[in-house]
Amino acid sequence: MFRCLLIMSDLVTLNVGGRLYTTSLATLTRFPDSVLGAMFKGRLPVRKDQQGHFFIDRDGKTFRHILNFLRSSHLDLPDDYKEMKLLRREAGFYQIQPLMEVLHEREAEDLASEKNTMLNISLDQKMQAVHLSGPDAPQAYSLGSLTIDVFSANIFCTSGAFLSSLGIQICYFFNGNLSPVCGEGEGQNRLALQWVGAVEGLPEEEYTLQNLKRLWVFNKQVNSLRAFVEEVLKITMNQGFCMDSSHPSSHDFTNTKTVRLIRYRCS
């Protein structure tokens, strides 16, 4: 650990989480009260990697946007940028106050433009035959089959941010592992799910061999469409959604093939 003593015209190569960036010292110290300003004006200790590059143990991919803001004072992100939460966290770490203000303003604009949010869930269930083979006796095998229920849910939401947060709470269980379904959908506003419930008499290894995924919602295994709807309703209604009174009929919403929820925002 040491304090850097550099001339303002020097070029600086940074290793941020394994990614290399080269910029000027003037750019890094543009905001003296930031963490980068303190590091490269000698007020905070810095480290170097084995190649002599200054090392910062933060997310290397996101630092691209941090550095571009230091260069231009503009936050230019791709239209489909999906890592705002990470970018806010990194901006908070570097304590770049103008960037934090821009992110706060953008978040407020997103909320204002998202006055009403609609969530539509289309459900389906079909039968599928699963063919099994197993040892009947030494050097002898028998064939068998099971008919199982396969469930599917296609979710559309006008808020990609909410759908992403919902997808984190829905997990596939496959090959002994739980993994969030977020990112497996058809786009930022759509999420397509397909799973089976627990099948009596089906050995655990057969789920993997037959490529059969089970589903968990908020740490609870889901073995039917009704259970899926009930668990999703718990999450969405806790986030301010309510049932669309016109679709479906309110007296039978857990048995319908389509569920629609609305979240109203104040003007």
Side-chain angles (χ1 to χ4, degrees), residues 11-14 19-24 28 53 63 67 71:
L11 293 181
V12 180
T13 298
L14 302 176
R19 294 200 177 198
L20 297 182
Y21 294 90
T22 299
T23 187
S24 69
L28 292 174
H53 306 132
F63 189 75
L67 185 57
R71 289 166 171 159

Side-chain angles (χ1 to χ4, degrees), residues 25-126:
L25 188 61
T27 296
L28 292 174
T29 57
R30 183 173 185 180
F31 301 106
D33 293 333
S34 70
V35 169
L36 290 170
M39 288 173 63
F40 289 94
K41 279 185 172 293
R43 300 197 306 272
L44 283 177
V46 294
R47 291 186 292 167
K48 286 189 175 183
D49 64 15
Q50 293 180 345
Q51 286 71 43
H53 306 132
F54 291 97
F55 178 73
I56 303 175
D57 190 15
R58 300 296 297 185
D59 186 77
K61 180 181 177 182
T62 307
F63 189 75
R64 166 195 172 193
H65 304 298
I66 303 290
L67 185 57
N68 283 338
F69 185 84
L70 292 177
R71 289 166 171 159
S72 66
S73 293
H74 292 283
L75 180 62
D76 299 310
L77 299 173
D79 292 337
D80 60 347
Y81 189 70
K82 300 178 182 179
E83 297 184 321
M84 289 296 293
K85 184 176 181 180
L86 176 60
L87 181 56
R88 286 194 296 270
R89 186 184 302 123
E90 294 302 291
F93 168 79
Y94 291 109
Q95 285 296 297
I96 302 172
Q97 196 63 36
L99 176 57
M100 295 167 67
E101 292 173 0
V102 169
L103 289 169
H104 179 73
E105 291 172 2
R106 182 165 297 192
E107 185 176 22
E109 290 173 359
D110 290 343
L111 287 174
S113 65
E114 203 176 81
K115 291 182 180 179
N116 295 331
T117 304
M118 188 269 287
L119 181 75
N120 192 82
I121 308 173
S122 299
L123 305 161
D124 195 20
Q125 180 176 345
K126 61 182 180 180

Side-chain angles (χ1 to χ4, degrees), residues 2 7 17 37 46 60 64 77 83 89-90 106 124 128 135 139 152 158 178 195 200 215 224 230 235 253 260:
F2 51 89
I7 301 173
V46 294
R64 166 195 172 193
L77 299 173
E83 297 184 321
R89 186 184 302 123
E90 294 302 291
R106 182 165 297 192
D124 195 20
Q128 177 178 317
Q139 298 182 342
S152 63
T158 54
L178 276 174
W195 76 97
E200 185 177 354
L215 197 73
S224 68
E230 290 175 347
I235 296 172
F253 64 84
R260 186 173 299 159

Side-chain angles (χ1 to χ4, degrees), residues 129-147:
V130 176
H131 302 287
L132 311 171
S133 63
D136 217 12
Q139 298 182 342
Y141 284 79
S142 62
L143 297 177
S145 64
L146 289 173
T147 301

